[in-house]
Amino acid sequence: MSFAARPASRSLATRQLDLRPLDASMLDALAAGDRPGLEALTGARFPAPLQPPPLVEDHLDFFRDRLRRPEEPGSWWFWLMVERASGRAVGMLGVPGEPDDRGRVPIGYSVYPDREGRGYASEAVEAVVAWVLDRPGIEAVRATIAPDNAPSLRVAAKAGMRAVATGRVQDVGEVVVVERRAGGREP
């Protein structure tokens, strides 16, 4: 399936957040622990000591590699969640690849632990899912979530995602696959 989309040139906005596109140089600064450099590049304040939100560190090299390949149109959907009132980075989310043969793309999200429970992930995921589903060639957005991760399952539900399958993922274990289809169609 061909997928022709261009990177977001502006932030997406929610009630509390600005969602700012990240690029490889920003992730390089994050990986290097260069807080002043990262703050200069993103315009956001980061917690000290500088580290990625949970789960992002495990995939940081993957995201950086994808962002360095501009010929892969799906590799640019990676956003920083910035609390508008304070300018503080509160998390990250991304859609790291092109649609599969059914037009489905994955989404992942993570919030810094001290920022959890404030609705940031819900707002960000709702905004990005709606934006992604409005792109040509996208039929559905999916996430794989551990069944005991109730907060993440609630975030997905608030974004209109519904369970469509269960399975097992190596190095993760049991997962629930949740999905929201374009046009409000049932999975």
Side-chain angles (χ1 to χ4, degrees):
M1 167 179 283
S2 174
F3 177 61
R6 299 304 325 145
S9 60
R10 61 174 173 76
S11 295
L12 298 177
T14 71
R15 187 174 57 80
Q16 302 178 86
L17 302 173
D18 288 320
L19 306 177
R20 300 177 185 171
L22 290 165
D23 64 30
S25 67
M26 295 169 184
L27 296 185
D28 286 339
L30 178 60
D34 179 4
R35 187 172 169 209
L38 182 59
E39 289 180 344
L41 288 168
T42 63
R45 291 184 14 252
F46 282 81
L50 180 61
Q51 59 189 4
L55 305 175
V56 173
E57 185 170 28
D58 296 340
H59 305 286
L60 197 54
D61 288 339
F62 169 79
F63 292 130
R64 286 190 302 173
D65 290 347
R66 294 292 304 223
L67 289 168
R68 284 192 176 100
R69 292 186 263 168
E71 72 280 0
E72 293 190 28
S75 65
W76 48 266
W77 289 347
F78 197 52
W79 281 275
L80 177 66
M81 297 179 214
V82 179
E83 182 184 50
R84 190 175 304 112
S86 68
R88 180 175 174 176
V90 298
M92 296 179 183
L93 74 158
V95 179
E98 289 194 55
D100 66 12
D101 60 352
R102 292 185 183 175
R104 300 175 304 198
V105 294
I107 189 169
Y109 42 93
S110 182
V111 173
Y112 285 106
D114 69 332
R115 299 279 116 185
E116 291 176 346
R118 300 173 189 217
Y120 297 137
S122 294
E123 283 188 31
V125 171
E126 287 177 53
V128 169
V129 165
W131 186 84
V132 169
L133 288 174
D134 196 39
R135 310 276 56 93
I138 304 294
E139 294 298 322
V141 177
R142 291 185 138 201
T144 54
I145 303 169
D148 62 349
N149 188 344
S152 192
L153 289 167
R154 281 193 300 274
V155 167
K158 287 179 182 178
M161 301 172 90
R162 302 291 174 253
V164 295
T166 59
R168 185 165 188 75
V169 175
Q170 187 175 353
D171 298 331
V172 174
E174 295 298 316
V175 295
V176 176
V177 179
V178 294
E179 175 179 284
R180 178 170 163 194
R181 301 206 46 83
R185 295 187 309 272
E186 289 294 315

